[in-house]
Amino acid sequence: MIKTFSFGAMHITVAFLVVWAMTGDWRIGGATALVEPCVNTVAYHFHEKIWKRWAPGKVVSGTVMA
């Protein structure tokens, strides 16, 4: 769990620094660093649902998807 929190903190820090460097505005960097992980979490949920349906090697109607 510590590794997960560490990665989350790193992800937010990198997002903040990249956007701040690109825009020069720490407020936009901060807003992005807070919003982006939330959006990414929701996107990951749907990615997993799609991946389970169309995963490589999964048998669909008698054929193997590659």
Side-chain angles (χ1 to χ4, degrees), residues 26-52:
W26 65 269
R27 292 168 296 197
I28 294 173
T32 302
L34 294 175
V35 172
E36 188 273 337
C38 295
V39 172
N40 212 5
T41 299
V42 173
Y44 180 77
H45 169 75
F46 290 107
H47 172 270
E48 287 298 299
K49 289 179 78 100
I50 292 167
W51 187 258
K52 285 180 183 178

